[in-house]
Amino acid sequence: MGIIVTLLIIWLVLSILGFVVKGLLWLAFIGLVLFVATGVWGWFKRKANA
């Protein structure tokens, strides 16, 4: 579970950086997609272990 939280933090930081730096807007979108994908994957993994 710790690696999922770490990945979520990394994707969130990349998204914020992408929105702050105008030329890196593509990084924001990739970060958001990866953030959502990691969150969904972690959610399903948590439910499978319960």
Side-chain angles (χ1 to χ4, degrees):
M1 193 67 173
I3 193 160
I4 293 173
V5 173
T6 304
L7 285 174
L8 287 172
I9 292 170
I10 291 170
W11 303 148
L12 188 62
V13 168
L14 286 176
S15 296
I16 292 171
L17 181 65
F19 281 119
V20 170
V21 180
K22 198 173 195 178
L24 296 177
L25 192 59
W26 58 271
L27 184 63
F29 292 122
I30 291 173
L32 285 176
V33 169
L34 290 173
F35 181 83
V36 170
T38 304
V40 169
W41 180 67
W43 178 264
F44 284 121
K45 187 170 178 156
R46 187 183 73 160
K47 283 195 167 216
N49 288 340

